[in-house]
Amino acid sequence: MKIVFATGNIGKLREASEILGEGFELVSLAQAGIEEDIPETGNTLRANSLQKAQYLYDKLGCDCFADDTGLEVDALGGAPGVYTARYAGEGKDFNANMDKVLYELSVIEGEAHMAEEFGLKTKPVSRRARFKSVVTLIIDGKIKMFEGTLEGEIAREKSGNGGFGYDPIFIADEYPGLTLADISEDEKNAISHRGKALRAMAQWLQENR
Ligand code: IMP
C-alpha cells in the first residue's frame, strides 16, 4: 500500500521502509510536496505524533503516518524527552545534542564524586535511558496509535558510524558494550523502539484491512 510518512529524515525513511517491507510504498514529505516544517508544539510524544499526522492528513487527505521519538535519561529526570530533536538548541546538530547529554551526566557524576570525598554517602549515578516512539496512523480518516520502547544506557563516549541521531551514545540492553551506531541496521531494526511501533502498525493493518 502507498502511504505518506511524515519525515524529512532520510535515516528514518530508510529504517521504516526496511521494517515495513515490500507491502508498503513509503512516500516522503518531499515526494508528497510538503516543503514546510510540520509544527510540533505538544508537551508529549503522543501529542506531537498526532499533531504531525493530523497536519499531513489535513493537507493531503490521504493515508499517512507520523512518528515522534524521544530519549529519556533517568538521571536527567527524563530529559531530553520531547526536546530530543533540539536539546542543544534550535539548529544545533546531533553531535551537540549528544555532547550535551554526555556533559550533563558527567556533571552529575562529578558532583556525586565530590560529595563522596566530603564523606557523604551517594548512590552510583544511573546511566539508564530509553527511546520511546509513538506512531500515529491515519487511515481512511481514522486515527490509530502504536508505541515502542527500547531500554538501555548512555555510553561514556560516542562510538560507531551507523544509524543516526543519538545512536552513537545509546547502548541497548540486547547488545552490551556496543552502541546502536556500532551494530548493523538489521540488528537495530529488530529491537528498536520504532521497529516495535511500526511492526505493531503493520500487523494491525494486516488484520484490519
Ligand atoms: P522525532 O521527533 O521522531 O523526529 O525524533 C526526535 C529526535 O530523536 C530526532 O532529532 C532524532 O534524530 C532522534 N531520534 C529519533 N529516532 C532515533 C533513533 O532511532 N536513534 C537515535 N536518535 C533518534
Side-chain angles (χ1 to χ4, degrees), residues 9 12 15 40 52 67-70 84-85 94 131 164-167 180 188 193-194:
N9 179 329
K12 263 201 204 174
E15 267 190 21
E40 267 184 69
K52 285 192 262 187
D67 88 317
D68 201 60
T69 298
T84 298
F94 264 88
F131 277 112
F164 65 94
Y166 293 77
D167 282 349
L180 290 179
K188 179 185 170 188
H193 40 298
R194 197 164 22 260

Side-chain angles (χ1 to χ4, degrees), residues 101-119:
V101 170
L102 292 176
Y103 174 74
E104 288 186 336
L105 281 175
S106 75
V107 168
I108 292 170
E109 284 179 339
E111 284 167 358
H113 186 67
M114 209 141 60
E116 265 166 35
E117 286 192 344
F118 282 107

Side-chain angles (χ1 to χ4, degrees), residues 73 75-80 87-88 96-112 125-127 154 166 169:
V73 182
L76 304 181
Y87 196 43
N97 286 334
M98 287 188 282
D99 288 343
K100 185 168 180 192
V101 170
L102 292 176
Y103 174 74
E104 288 186 336
L105 281 175
S106 75
V107 168
I108 292 170
E109 284 179 339
E111 284 167 358
V125 175
S126 165
R127 298 186 77 90
I154 301 298
Y166 293 77
I169 61 164

